[in-house]
Amino acid sequence: MITRVTTQMSIASATERLQANAARVAEATQRATTLQAIAKPSDDPVGTGSSMQVRKEQAATAQYTRNANDAVGWLATTDSTLSSAYSVLGKVRDLTVQAANSGTMGDTDRDAFITQFRALKADLEAAANAKYGTRSVFAGSATDAVAYVPGTGFVTATTAVSRRVGDGQVLRVDTSGAAVFGTGAASAFAVIDDIVADLQNGVNVNPKLNDVDAAINAVRSAQADVGVRHAEALTAQDALTSAGVALENRRAGIEDLDLAGAVLDLQVQQTTYQAALAVTAKVLQPTLMDYLR
């Protein structure tokens, strides 16, 4: 059976082809403009699923990174504070040795020593109340304005403060002030008070050196523990940075287009469309007026 091809059929077929070419040009233009391989899920269902999974992992990594940054900052502040406390107690020890070796002291010398010890105690109290942002680093989960109150001691923390820096990886960031500085009559603050009291009563302070050394060792032990946790936080921070870069590369491989490739595809589609227009104009030149001549 011979099918008669009419002019109307040719025009309809040509129009359909031109519209398809124009649609491809529009799609190529959009890709070259946005550089997105997937404009809508139907463009690539498999790629869309992979993209959603990668973005989910990116969101989790971003949160872990914020947590790790906070842990690094908190522990760095604690480490710096412990260094200051260690330095203060070192000065207390040196001053105690001087006072013990001074023999019979006059009132002026005794008052000078007492003034220095009280100043060092104030420095130690300031270290005990160090803050990271608005939180006291030695107060644990407690949100009190200060961690240490002279005459009362450290606030009671119900739980430790931790930061999740990965799947199944949690770091403790707070440090017990009571463990660092001691409590009651055995605290570093009480040791300084005892030294001052001995000086006021004319008692040799040499025996207090053992108490000062114990306070120094407690701070040193706490600093070692904080140093280990700080190193873990830094390692987690570096690992998360690398993971973030890898995930971004995966996302870009799924969603993003190469600029040169996108522009080249656009040029090809435009050339194809222009050629289709030219061919159609040649093929469909005859009109009704041509048949009436």
Side-chain angles (χ1 to χ4, degrees):
M1 179 180 179
I2 300 176
T3 302
R4 179 170 176 268
V5 179
T6 65
T7 302
Q8 184 178 6
M9 292 173 60
S10 298
I11 293 175
S13 177
T15 301
E16 182 179 354
R17 288 194 297 271
L18 288 176
Q19 288 178 340
N21 286 334
R24 285 193 288 271
V25 171
E27 291 175 359
T29 301
Q30 181 183 25
R31 288 194 296 269
T33 302
T34 63
L35 293 181
Q36 291 181 345
I38 305 174
K40 54 185 182 295
S42 60
D43 291 342
D44 184 357
V46 175
T48 299
S50 299
S51 174
M52 292 176 64
Q53 179 60 34
V54 170
R55 285 184 175 273
K56 178 181 177 181
E57 294 177 18
Q58 282 184 310
T61 300
Q63 182 60 60
Y64 290 149
T65 299
R66 288 191 291 271
N67 294 346
N69 292 340
D70 187 66
V72 168
W74 188 307
L75 290 168
T77 299
T78 304
D79 183 66
S80 175
T81 302
L82 290 174
S83 294
S84 298
Y86 182 82
S87 176
V88 169
L89 288 172
K91 294 176 182 178
V92 169
R93 191 184 195 286
D94 293 341
L95 202 60
T96 302
V97 171
Q98 292 178 31
N101 295 330
S102 295
T104 303
M105 286 186 287
D107 291 340
T108 301
D109 293 336
R110 184 181 299 108
D111 291 343
F113 275 117
I114 291 173
T115 299
Q116 292 181 72
F117 276 117
R118 286 174 174 168
L120 290 172
K121 180 187 175 183
D123 292 341
L124 200 62
E125 290 174 345
N129 286 317
K131 292 179 178 291
Y132 174 65
T134 59
R135 299 286 297 277
S136 297
V137 297
F138 297 116
S141 60
T143 56
D144 298 56
V146 293
Y148 175 77
V149 179
T152 302
F154 285 92
V155 298
T156 301
T158 55
T159 57
V161 180
S162 300
R163 295 290 181 266
R164 184 176 295 277
V165 296
D167 292 335
Q169 185 179 6
V170 178
L171 287 177
R172 180 180 177 181
V173 297
D174 73 306
T175 304
S176 171
V180 175
F181 298 97
T183 58
S187 70
F189 313 105
V191 169
I192 297 177
D193 287 338
D194 290 343
I195 294 173
V196 170
D198 285 350
L199 287 173
Q200 290 173 330
N201 296 324
V203 178
N204 191 299
V205 296
N206 189 65
K208 298 300 181 185
L209 286 174
N210 291 332
D211 296 334
V212 175
D213 287 339
I216 290 175
N217 290 335
V219 172
R220 183 184 297 166
S221 176
Q223 192 169 19
D225 175 64
V226 169
V228 171
R229 287 185 280 145
H230 188 215
E232 291 179 3
L234 288 172
T235 300
Q237 191 180 49
D238 291 340
L240 287 166
T241 299
S242 299
V245 172
L247 286 170
E248 177 58 22
N249 289 336
R250 283 177 56 191
R251 184 209 62 76
I254 297 170
E255 297 182 4
D256 295 349
L257 287 175
D258 175 65
L259 177 60
V263 172
L264 178 61
D265 180 57
L266 175 59
Q267 291 176 339
V268 169
Q269 296 301 333
Q270 287 178 331
T271 301
T272 302
Y273 182 56
Q274 293 297 329
L277 286 174
V279 170
T280 301
K282 289 288 185 181
V283 172
L284 298 180
Q285 278 185 354
T287 66
L288 178 61
M289 295 302 298
D290 293 319
Y291 291 103
L292 295 176
R293 289 177 183 174

